[in-house]
């Protein structure tokens, strides 16, 4: 077996390459910074897999094209950045209500409003609470490295078809624009989990099928919502986190995505100075790794949540450890690019409290 070769690429390209490795054959999108490298790459590379690339007239159109391709059983995706993803929310809600698989990538930028094109984690609430109308959820994966961007795209397509549900990959401008080595790989075979039994591919020789999110008969919508909630409960088994140096830690920092990666460097430095600090970096934001945090809390640990926003994931941390512990919060404001030194003082201050 030949040794896998590493390539030096941007995180956005890693995401695009991961989608192709996952068997993606349809891409629909509209330009917005800082995710433009993804459609730029796929505009040529999608042809190499006999796939379809469409630059839609808007994010609204792109998301509805994704819905249509998903209904046909295709491995399809769209990508955008914060304001663009806001425009997609109606179609994503329809996809969840119709139980359609698809992958949405949000390379999070600063906000609210047009904000800036720099890094932010201000879309956490939108990503993990559905984002659109109605009681629905999307699975949410949070890469912190270019390699994770590649790997999580393969996982995202598998999860989308496993649960017949939209999956969101929440990256950010740091992950999308940085360059580092990535080792490409391809899964043995794409598993569409029986999509041929529900997708719309022509009814010749079989009974017709109906995919919908409209339920007007008495009790029909209540039944569909019960079905969806049972599915979201089953998703809890997918929760994952990177747990680092927590066994003897007096203070456990919780951070995700690029901020989790930067904080890990801070934790390593503090450990080298003899300070007992650990890190939990959620890899899935929905389902949230609540049990991981709860088990750590039972060992008497204290918590500090660090995010590049004004305080969002901290709500889930506090819910996870409720009745056992609490979590303090430190927010690094969007619009200001952080380094590992920026988190030294907040961690030390909370450690010594």
């Amino acid at each position: 077996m030949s040794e896998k070769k590493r390539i030096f690429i941007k995180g956005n390209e890693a995401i695009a390459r991961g989608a192709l490795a996952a068997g993606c054959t349809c891409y629909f999108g509209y330009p917005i910074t800082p995710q433009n490298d993804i459609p730029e790459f796929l505009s040529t590379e999608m042809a190499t897999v006999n796939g379809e690339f469409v630059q839609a007239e808007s994010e609204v159109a792109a998301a509805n094209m994704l819905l249509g391709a998903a209904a046909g059983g295709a491995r399809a995706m769209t990508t955008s950045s914060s304001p663009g993803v806001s425009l997609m929310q109606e179609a994503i809600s329809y996809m969840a209500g119709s139980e359609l698989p698809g992958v949405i990538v949000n390379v999070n930028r600063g906000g609210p409003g047009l904000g800036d094109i720099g890094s932010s984690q201000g879309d956490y609430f939108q990503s993990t609470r559905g984002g659109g109308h109605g009681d629905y959820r999307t699975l949410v994966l949070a890469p912190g490295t270019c390699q994770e961007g590649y790997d999580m795209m393969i996982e995202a397509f598998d999860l989308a078809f496993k649960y017949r549900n939209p999956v969101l990959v929440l990256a950010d401008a740091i992950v999308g624009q940085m360059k580092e080595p990535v080792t490409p790989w391809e899964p043995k075979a794409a598993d569409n989990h029986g999509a041929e039994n529900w997708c719309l591919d022509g009814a010749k020789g079989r009974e017709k099928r109906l995919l919908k999110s409209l339920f007007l008969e008495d009790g029909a919508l209540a039944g569909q919502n019960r079905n969806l909630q049972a599915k979201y409960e089953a998703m809890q088994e997918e929760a994952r986190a990177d747990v680092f140096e927590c066994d003897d830690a007096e203070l456990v920092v919780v951070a995700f995505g690029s901020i989790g990666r930067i904080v890990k460097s801070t934790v390593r430095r503090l450990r080298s100075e003899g300070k007992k600090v650990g890190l939990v970096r959620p890899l899935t934001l929905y389902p949230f790794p609540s049990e991981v945090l709860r088990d750590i809390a039972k060992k008497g640990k204290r918590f500090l949540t660090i995010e590049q926003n004004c305080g969002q994931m901290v709500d889930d941390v506090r819910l996870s450890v409720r009745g056992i512990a609490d979590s303090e919060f430190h927010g690094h404001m969007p619009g200001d690019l952080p380094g590992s030194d920026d988190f030294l003082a907040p961690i030390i201050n909370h450690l010594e409290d």
Side-chain angles (χ1 to χ4, degrees):
M1 182 177 178
S2 60
E3 184 180 351
K4 293 180 180 178
K5 292 184 178 179
R6 296 198 300 172
I7 53 177
F8 190 64
I9 55 175
K10 274 188 178 183
N12 280 338
E13 184 178 335
I15 287 169
R17 287 178 178 269
L20 293 176
C24 178
T25 58
C26 294
Y27 175 88
F28 315 99
Y30 186 80
I32 184 172
T33 306
Q35 63 87 49
N36 283 331
D37 307 285
I38 300 174
E40 180 180 356
F41 181 84
L42 290 176
S43 66
T44 56
E45 293 302 311
M46 190 61 77
T48 66
V49 296
N50 296 318
E52 299 292 335
F53 174 93
V54 178
Q55 180 173 310
E57 64 269 31
S58 68
E59 291 90 348
V60 174
N64 281 282
M65 291 175 186
L66 175 64
L67 185 156
R75 288 196 156 215
M77 69 178 289
T78 187
T79 66
S80 192
S81 295
S82 303
V85 176
S86 295
L87 291 169
M88 296 179 174
Q89 293 305 319
E90 181 183 46
I92 296 172
S93 177
Y94 285 4
M95 289 180 68
S98 303
E99 298 189 77
L100 294 175
V103 175
I104 304 104
V105 177
N106 180 2
V107 183
N108 197 165
R109 59 184 270 175
L114 287 176
D116 66 12
I117 61 173
S119 180
S120 170
Q121 294 184 326
D123 295 357
Y124 181 92
F125 280 158
Q126 179 193 69
S127 304
T128 60
R129 268 62 178 172
H133 59 287
D135 291 296
Y136 77 94
R137 298 283 185 133
T138 58
L139 291 112
V140 184
L141 309 180
T145 68
C146 294
Q147 185 68 58
E148 285 180 350
Y150 184 97
D151 298 343
M152 285 183 176
M153 287 305 295
I154 296 173
E155 182 182 5
F157 278 95
D158 289 342
L159 290 172
F161 278 86
K162 179 179 178 180
Y163 291 102
R164 283 184 61 183
N165 202 77
V167 175
L168 178 70
V169 177
L170 182 60
D172 58 54
I174 295 176
V175 173
Q177 292 297 316
M178 69 182 176
K179 275 190 172 183
E180 60 185 352
V182 172
T183 302
W185 61 279
E186 295 185 12
K188 292 181 180 179
D191 185 355
N192 283 349
H193 294 273
E196 66 276 6
N197 296 319
W198 55 259
C199 72
L200 306 183
D201 58 357
K204 185 176 181 180
R206 64 162 173 80
E207 293 295 319
K208 66 179 182 180
R209 297 167 180 165
L210 178 62
L211 296 172
K212 64 176 184 175
S213 63
L214 179 66
F215 298 87
L216 297 178
E217 301 84 0
D218 286 347
L221 181 59
Q224 175 66 347
N225 272 302
R226 280 190 286 270
N227 169 50
L228 293 177
Q229 292 303 314
K231 179 164 64 174
Y232 304 149
E233 181 62 30
M235 291 176 185
Q236 300 307 312
E237 69 178 31
E238 308 295 345
R240 294 188 296 118
D242 173 20
V243 179
F244 180 71
E245 299 282 13
C246 287
D247 288 344
D248 66 342
E250 296 173 2
L251 179 71
V252 173
V253 182
V254 187
F256 75 94
S258 62
I259 301 302
R261 175 185 184 156
I262 294 168
V263 169
K264 183 178 267 191
S265 296
T266 311
V267 170
R268 283 195 179 102
R269 176 173 169 180
L270 291 171
R271 297 291 300 196
S272 71
E273 297 172 0
K275 294 180 170 56
K276 294 184 177 180
V277 184
L279 171 70
V280 173
R281 183 170 64 94
L283 301 175
T284 57
L285 302 182
Y286 187 83
F288 194 71
S290 299
E291 288 303 314
V292 172
L293 291 172
R294 195 163 184 84
D295 288 344
I296 292 172
K298 289 176 182 177
K299 298 174 183 177
K301 313 296 185 181
R302 293 185 294 123
F303 293 88
L304 169 65
T305 303
I306 296 180
E307 306 175 66
Q308 194 179 15
N309 57 38
C310 301
Q312 297 188 27
M313 183 181 69
V314 65
D315 286 4
D316 283 334
V317 176
R318 287 169 174 162
L319 286 170
S320 299
V321 302
R322 184 176 55 180
I324 304 172
D326 198 357
S327 176
E328 299 297 325
F329 172 72
H330 174 75
H332 191 94
M333 290 301 101
D336 184 13
L337 187 65
S340 60
D341 287 351
D342 291 306
F343 301 123
L344 283 170
I347 294 174
I348 292 171
N349 289 341
H350 286 90
L351 181 63
E352 295 176 349
D353 276 351

